[in-house]
Amino acid sequence: MEAWAEDQGVKGSMVTFLADTRSELTQALGMVLDDEGVMEVLGNPRCKRFALVVDDLAVKAVSVAGGDVPDEATFVEAMLGHC
């Protein structure tokens, strides 16, 4: 995750990348992507594309891509508007 943050130019910033290798956070947040199309192609459930703005342990904004919500709504530029 550190290499990804560095590649994206956000290492050391207020943006934090988190790994969820056992899908514990994904499940707790209700962000499991397990529709039939995904399962046919990828073979196992994945995490929906989403972004959170968290301030002092309080969730201030949530954006989940899919349906009428474009991926761009989860990009940092869009989420910074909630800070």
Side-chain angles (χ1 to χ4, degrees), residues 1 4 14 20 22 43 66:
M1 301 307 293
W4 187 19
M14 64 189 275
D20 187 22
R22 296 186 303 200

PDB file of all heavy atoms in Angstrom, residues 1 4 14 20 22 43 66:
ATOM      1  N   MET A   1       0.819  -1.180   0.000  1.00  0.00           N
ATOM      2  CA  MET A   1       0.000   0.000   0.000  1.00  0.00           C
ATOM      3  C   MET A   1       0.873   1.257   0.000  1.00  0.00           C
ATOM      4  O   MET A   1       0.509   2.260  -0.584  1.00  0.00           O
ATOM      5  CB  MET A   1      -0.943   0.005   1.198  1.00  0.00           C
ATOM      6  CG  MET A   1      -1.894  -1.192   1.282  1.00  0.00           C
ATOM      7  SD  MET A   1      -2.883  -1.530  -0.180  1.00  0.00           S
ATOM      8  CE  MET A   1      -3.942  -0.150  -0.264  1.00  0.00           C
ATOM      9  N   TRP A   4       1.901   2.101  -3.482  1.00  0.00           N
ATOM     10  CA  TRP A   4       0.788   2.675  -4.227  1.00  0.00           C
ATOM     11  C   TRP A   4       0.613   4.148  -3.849  1.00  0.00           C
ATOM     12  O   TRP A   4       0.422   4.999  -4.712  1.00  0.00           O
ATOM     13  CB  TRP A   4      -0.480   1.882  -3.941  1.00  0.00           C
ATOM     14  CG  TRP A   4      -1.684   2.246  -4.768  1.00  0.00           C
ATOM     15  CD1 TRP A   4      -1.708   2.928  -5.958  1.00  0.00           C
ATOM     16  CD2 TRP A   4      -3.037   1.966  -4.452  1.00  0.00           C
ATOM     17  NE1 TRP A   4      -2.997   3.073  -6.397  1.00  0.00           N
ATOM     18  CE2 TRP A   4      -3.841   2.484  -5.491  1.00  0.00           C
ATOM     19  CE3 TRP A   4      -3.665   1.320  -3.403  1.00  0.00           C
ATOM     20  CZ2 TRP A   4      -5.224   2.371  -5.498  1.00  0.00           C
ATOM     21  CZ3 TRP A   4      -5.045   1.204  -3.418  1.00  0.00           C
ATOM     22  CH2 TRP A   4      -5.797   1.730  -4.449  1.00  0.00           C
ATOM     23  N   MET A  14      -2.574  13.535   3.957  1.00  0.00           N
ATOM     24  CA  MET A  14      -3.725  13.171   4.777  1.00  0.00           C
ATOM     25  C   MET A  14      -4.478  11.958   4.225  1.00  0.00           C
ATOM     26  O   MET A  14      -5.382  11.433   4.857  1.00  0.00           O
ATOM     27  CB  MET A  14      -4.695  14.350   4.897  1.00  0.00           C
ATOM     28  CG  MET A  14      -5.318  14.759   3.583  1.00  0.00           C
ATOM     29  SD  MET A  14      -6.251  16.287   3.685  1.00  0.00           S
ATOM     30  CE  MET A  14      -7.817  15.722   4.253  1.00  0.00           C
ATOM     31  N   ASP A  20      -7.117  -4.747   2.958  1.00  0.00           N
ATOM     32  CA  ASP A  20      -8.154  -5.538   3.630  1.00  0.00           C
ATOM     33  C   ASP A  20      -8.089  -6.961   3.087  1.00  0.00           C
ATOM     34  O   ASP A  20      -9.020  -7.440   2.443  1.00  0.00           O
ATOM     35  CB  ASP A  20      -9.520  -4.903   3.383  1.00  0.00           C
ATOM     36  CG  ASP A  20     -10.643  -5.550   4.166  1.00  0.00           C
ATOM     37  OD1 ASP A  20     -10.370  -6.188   5.194  1.00  0.00           O
ATOM     38  OD2 ASP A  20     -11.805  -5.409   3.734  1.00  0.00           O
ATOM     39  N   ARG A  22      -8.369  -9.911   4.217  1.00  0.00           N
ATOM     40  CA  ARG A  22      -9.368 -10.920   4.614  1.00  0.00           C
ATOM     41  C   ARG A  22     -10.803 -10.399   4.494  1.00  0.00           C
ATOM     42  O   ARG A  22     -11.737 -11.036   4.961  1.00  0.00           O
ATOM     43  CB  ARG A  22      -9.105 -11.402   6.030  1.00  0.00           C
ATOM     44  CG  ARG A  22      -7.752 -12.118   6.144  1.00  0.00           C
ATOM     45  CD  ARG A  22      -7.534 -12.715   7.483  1.00  0.00           C
ATOM     46  NE  ARG A  22      -7.638 -11.685   8.522  1.00  0.00           N
ATOM     47  CZ  ARG A  22      -7.143 -11.802   9.733  1.00  0.00           C
ATOM     48  NH1 ARG A  22      -6.509 -12.897  10.075  1.00  0.00           N
ATOM     49  NH2 ARG A  22      -7.259 -10.837  10.612  1.00  0.00           N
ATOM     50  N   GLY A  43     -14.082 -14.793  -9.810  1.00  0.00           N
ATOM     51  CA  GLY A  43     -14.086 -16.022  -9.029  1.00  0.00           C
ATOM     52  C   GLY A  43     -14.397 -15.877  -7.553  1.00  0.00           C
ATOM     53  O   GLY A  43     -14.765 -16.840  -6.906  1.00  0.00           O
ATOM     54  N   GLY A  66     -20.870   3.010  -8.725  1.00  0.00           N
ATOM     55  CA  GLY A  66     -21.762   1.986  -9.255  1.00  0.00           C
ATOM     56  C   GLY A  66     -23.135   2.559  -9.496  1.00  0.00           C
ATOM     57  O   GLY A  66     -23.523   3.559  -8.886  1.00  0.00           O
TER      58      GLY A  66
END
